[in-house]
Amino acid sequence: MNSAYHRRVPSVSELASATSKQLQGTRSALLVPVGSTEQHGPHLPLDTDTRIASAVTRAVADRLAGTDESIWRIAPSIGYGASGEHEAFDGTVSVGTSALRSLLVEFGRSASRWASRLVFVNGHGGNVEALAAATALLRFEGRDAAWCSCTVAGADAHAGHTETSVLLHISPRDVMIDERVPGNCAPLRELMPELRRGGVAAVSEIGVLGDPTTATADEGERIFGDMVESCLRRIERWVPDRDGMLT
């Protein structure tokens, strides 16, 4: 398997591995993976969104290294998000939008005392409301914060072809191949009314929105590469909208 994800980033790029002394006098910028702990059907691990956000972040950091005066560092992942729509399934742990918003605001306020720039790299769609509200407030307060999501055009909604392909690329041993079964493949816009009323369980008994049986590692490498390129371009361009999302 061959990709930027598999090239090891120097340990000093990992915030948790650095010392306070190493950060003194440096122009540090911070990348923060934000994911979730929630059901991803019978075949994918609960931390799928966090794994994808973390992998994209590391690949982006690798590409950003040496491109400007900043030293880009990777913060430990935020592994709990707003996942209430998945709470009918065992293993899901949701902190909700309000708590996630507060966490992101306090994280940003604290980190911005020493980091010149802050980017939340999001792997879960349910986190968007909290990210937008938190980052807008941080920017209003004068902090150079922004966010982007690990999204690609044409992706299915949850634990289907897209996420399963990416996991087969970045974490193949943790995909339960024999457990893959198609879920509800209707367009998300058609499912949203019932999904809002009853969560994912109301539209898919197995918690899958899409078809994971078509997923391949080769397709996952392509999708992952598109995620990395999209986030990288947005960070390099650095044009946050009113909610702090990089465009």
Side-chain angles (χ1 to χ4, degrees):
M1 206 168 292
N2 181 27
S3 75
Y5 168 74
H6 296 283
R7 296 200 299 273
R8 181 173 175 78
V9 178
S11 60
V12 72
S13 292
E14 301 281 347
L15 179 63
S17 299
T19 68
S20 181
K21 183 177 180 180
Q22 286 176 314
L23 270 64
Q24 290 176 3
T26 65
R27 182 179 171 81
S28 294
L30 197 59
L31 294 161
V32 189
V34 184
S36 67
T37 300
E38 64 183 41
Q39 72 83 23
H40 273 77
H43 63 292
L44 292 181
L46 295 167
D47 68 346
T48 288
D49 293 339
T50 309
R51 291 190 193 210
I52 292 174
S54 298
V56 169
T57 299
R58 286 184 172 84
V60 168
D62 194 23
R63 297 277 296 277
L64 286 171
T67 61
D68 56 31
E69 295 179 358
S70 298
I71 298 175
W72 287 91
R73 302 184 189 278
I74 305 168
S77 301
I78 297 173
Y80 295 95
S83 303
E85 68 273 21
H86 297 284
E87 286 186 319
F89 297 90
D90 291 350
T92 298
V93 179
S94 173
V95 299
T97 296
S98 179
L100 180 61
R101 175 190 178 277
S102 296
L103 171 61
L104 296 173
V105 168
E106 296 305 324
F107 185 109
R109 286 171 174 167
S110 182
S112 293
R113 294 176 64 88
W114 54 267
S116 61
R117 179 166 280 182
L118 173 70
V119 187
F120 296 112
V121 181
N122 180 46
H124 171 52
N127 295 341
V128 167
E129 183 180 346
L131 280 160
T135 311
L137 177 57
L138 290 169
R139 294 191 63 78
F140 176 77
E141 294 174 343
R143 296 171 174 89
D144 198 9
W147 64 279
C148 60
S149 286
C150 306
T151 56
V152 291
D156 51 11
H158 186 74
H161 174 86
T162 303
E163 289 185 317
T164 304
S165 291
V166 174
L167 262 289
L168 284 171
H169 172 54
I170 66 173
S171 197
R173 293 182 181 178
D174 295 309
V175 179
M176 306 297 180
I177 296 294
D178 294 339
E179 297 288 342
R180 294 183 300 170
V181 290
N184 192 329
C185 296
L188 187 59
R189 64 181 179 276
E190 296 179 10
L191 302 176
M192 284 306 297
E194 192 172 356
L195 197 153
R196 287 195 179 100
R197 286 192 297 269
V200 173
V203 296
S204 175
E205 184 178 338
I206 60 171
V208 175
L209 303 178
D211 187 358
T213 65
T214 61
T216 66
D218 286 344
E219 181 70 356
E221 183 173 11
R222 182 192 65 78
I223 295 169
F224 180 77
D226 288 347
M227 290 177 174
V228 172
E229 287 295 332
S230 176
C231 286
L232 179 66
R233 287 195 303 271
R234 291 166 186 256
I235 292 170
E236 290 179 329
R237 193 160 50 230
W238 200 261
V239 182
D241 67 8
R242 60 182 296 176
D243 293 326
M245 184 180 73
L246 293 170
T247 60

